[in-house]
Amino acid sequence: MRETILQKATKMFLSLGFKSVTMDDIANELGISKKTIYQHFANKTDLVEAATDNLFETIASGIDNIREQDKNSIEEVFIIRSFIMQHLNNETASPFYQLQKFFPKIFSCLRIKQFEKMNGCMIENLKKGIENGIFRPDININFVSRIYFTGLTGIKDSEIFPQDVFEVEKLTKMYLEYHLRAIVTPKGLSILENFI
């Protein structure tokens, strides 16, 4: 039952927001009592933390599986992007804005874990791309990896990138293209343009 509650809560949090969804909403969706939820989660904060941890672990595991496929660095980044978008249900920035505003400790821990995972993956991706001649050998790997993460999280700021102007799906694709064009070799550029 704990897993069922966790899966339903995660889905609702992503589509409606971490603050907006109440324990009553989750209980009603599952056709159970709130008491049943409280047998598995001490309170809403506990459930939000479990949901974000679960989502992070699912995505991190999926990214590892994609990396094991040994695609070229450009293709790998596009596949990972699609995978993440799919698991976040093409989420808008709103659920994570609510997480940041109303559950700041959980948000902060999640951001640290996201950075560690993404930074490690991106450093490996960049090294592989340089070895394969699709990324420029003169790039500063540590800088590029960090600026990539900063950009990905920055485009979720709905005040700077309002959703009525920038569709989430297109925005991440535009950012990916922008990022890759800055670091590819001519060989990498031809691979990139095949994806666009």
Side-chain angles (χ1 to χ4, degrees), residues 13 15 19 26 42 67 80 114 123 129 136 159 167 174:
F13 289 147
S15 59
K19 172 72 172 159
I26 297 164
R67 292 179 65 224
I80 288 173
Q114 285 174 326
I123 285 171
R136 296 190 344 256
E159 289 182 13
E167 186 185 319
M174 280 191 290

Side-chain angles (χ1 to χ4, degrees), residues 24-91:
D24 282 320
D25 294 334
I26 297 164
N28 290 339
E29 277 288 315
L30 290 169
I32 60 174
S33 69
K34 256 199 316 190
K35 186 179 175 185
T36 305
I37 297 176
Y38 287 121
Q39 288 172 348
H40 299 278
F41 301 96
N43 50 44
K44 184 176 175 183
T45 301
D46 189 30
L47 179 55
V48 167
E49 186 170 16
T52 56
D53 284 348
N54 180 53
L55 186 62
F56 174 80
E57 292 305 327
T58 301
I59 290 173
S61 172
I63 289 171
D64 289 341
N65 290 337
I66 291 166
R67 292 179 65 224
E68 285 169 12
Q69 294 171 18
D70 204 31
K71 303 284 186 187
N72 73 58
S73 293
I74 293 172
E75 189 175 3
E76 183 178 275
V77 171
F78 274 94
I79 293 170
I80 288 173
R81 174 196 161 271
S82 296
F83 172 79
I84 292 172
M85 293 298 288
Q86 180 185 344
H87 273 77
L88 297 180
N89 303 326
N90 288 326
E91 58 86 9

Side-chain angles (χ1 to χ4, degrees), residues 70-73 76 124-132:
D70 204 31
K71 303 284 186 187
N72 73 58
S73 293
E76 183 178 275
E124 292 305 311
N125 178 281
L126 293 166
K127 286 178 180 175
K128 183 171 74 172
I130 290 169
E131 283 172 24
N132 295 333

